[in-house]
Amino acid sequence: MTALSPRRTFSGTALKTIACITMLVDHIGASCIEAGILTPGLDAGTLSQDTLSAYPLYRLDMVLRFTGRLAFPLFCFLLVEGFVHTHNVKGYLGRLVLFGLLSEVSFDLAFFRTPFDFSAQNVYWTLALGVLAMAGLKRFEKENGLPGWQGLVWAVGCAALALAANTDYNAIGVLIICALYLTRADRKRQCLVGALLFLFELTAPLAFVLVWFYNGQRGACSPLHKKAFYWFYPVHLLVLAGITNLLL
């Protein structure tokens, strides 16, 4: 890892907090406004595609969604940091799988208004496959630090599985996680690669401005605080699912 500037002031905990807040903002738009109001309005014919862009709630939704694009790049970066520093990869992976299972019903309710929708899976599965992909890259890493062909095949297999299951961000999410892992020794290169790979989302590359100012420290994070980060995803989705399905 390249030397860190003393001006870099964001800890891992600070970045994770920002990621959670922007994710919440994004999901308010995707669940409450889109799944709860706009999509039903289009289906019922009370809204039309031609006039949708002039609708105030649509404009608000765009603001929320553009703000929320910062979340996933931050989570990808933090996943790489977590993988590199964990002493228990199996435990790390197990927690992601557990919360993937716990989040699936609330994910489907929040975005598809049904408890079971097998057309898409929540982001915890993408992150879990990202950890599996990094584990393969690490396992087959060459002595010079370059990835071996076996590791690359393993990573592509994990990406293909994400694509087949249609996890949130699917294959591109897993491949971006791998790219951030492979460039982890040079923060400048890591930020440039991450920003370029996220150009398909207008505001997502801005997340790497925050990553550039990461100070390399976890920051104050109690065991309770750590658990809260894991639980935030299923709990906030459950709340949004209740609002979308019961109030809207």
Side-chain angles (χ1 to χ4, degrees), residues 118-122 126 161-170:
F118 299 105
S119 66
Q121 323 308 324
N122 72 75
T126 309
L161 184 56
L163 181 63
N166 197 24
T167 65
D168 205 5
Y169 281 92
N170 55 68

Side-chain angles (χ1 to χ4, degrees), residues 1-242:
M1 177 66 70
T2 52
L4 297 178
S5 165
R7 293 177 295 174
R8 294 181 176 171
T9 56
F10 287 117
S11 67
T13 299
L15 288 180
K16 195 170 292 187
T17 301
I18 294 170
C20 285
I21 292 171
T22 53
M23 178 175 64
L24 174 61
V25 169
D26 181 56
H27 289 172
I28 289 172
S31 180
C32 298
I33 298 179
E34 292 182 18
I37 300 173
L38 298 183
T39 298
L42 290 170
D43 291 342
T46 56
L47 292 174
S48 69
Q49 290 285 356
D50 294 334
T51 60
L52 190 61
S53 61
Y55 191 50
L57 275 181
Y58 176 81
R59 295 177 179 177
L60 174 60
D61 179 51
M62 290 298 97
V63 172
L64 296 176
R65 300 306 302 276
F66 282 140
T67 302
R69 297 302 85 192
L70 298 176
F72 186 67
L74 291 175
F75 281 123
C76 289
F77 170 75
L78 291 166
L79 187 80
V80 172
E81 286 293 295
F83 175 81
V84 169
H85 293 101
T86 187
H87 299 293
N88 185 359
V89 173
K90 290 182 178 179
Y92 192 34
L93 178 61
R95 287 190 294 274
L96 293 171
V97 170
L98 173 62
F99 280 91
L101 290 169
L102 291 173
S103 303
E104 195 58 39
V105 171
S106 55
F107 173 82
D108 290 342
L109 283 169
F111 302 123
F112 304 104
R113 306 190 75 165
T114 178
F116 301 104
D117 188 308
F118 299 105
S119 66
Q121 323 308 324
N122 72 75
V123 77
Y124 263 120
W125 300 111
T126 309
L127 299 179
L129 287 168
V131 168
L132 271 179
M134 288 189 289
L137 291 171
K138 181 179 180 180
R139 169 67 177 80
F140 296 107
E141 188 176 80
K142 296 179 181 180
E143 292 183 2
N144 60 5
L146 294 174
W149 67 266
Q150 303 98 320
L152 293 174
V153 170
W154 179 271
V156 170
C158 291
L161 184 56
L163 181 63
N166 197 24
T167 65
D168 205 5
Y169 281 92
N170 55 68
I172 188 64
V174 175
L175 293 176
I176 288 175
I177 289 167
C178 292
L180 295 178
Y181 174 74
L182 293 174
T183 55
R184 67 192 183 281
D186 187 327
R187 180 65 54 75
K188 181 183 292 186
R189 183 185 302 172
Q190 188 183 44
C191 288
L192 288 174
V193 167
L196 288 172
L197 291 176
F198 271 105
L199 281 175
F200 65 92
E201 292 188 325
L202 184 62
T203 54
L206 295 176
F208 291 94
V209 175
L210 301 177
V211 170
W212 174 252
F213 288 99
Y214 171 57
N215 61 16
Q217 304 297 317
R218 173 185 286 186
C221 187
S222 67
L224 182 61
H225 201 173
K226 183 178 179 180
K227 290 179 181 178
F229 282 131
Y230 277 99
W231 280 101
F232 182 81
Y233 187 76
V235 170
H236 94 276
L237 285 181
L238 190 60
V239 172
L240 293 178

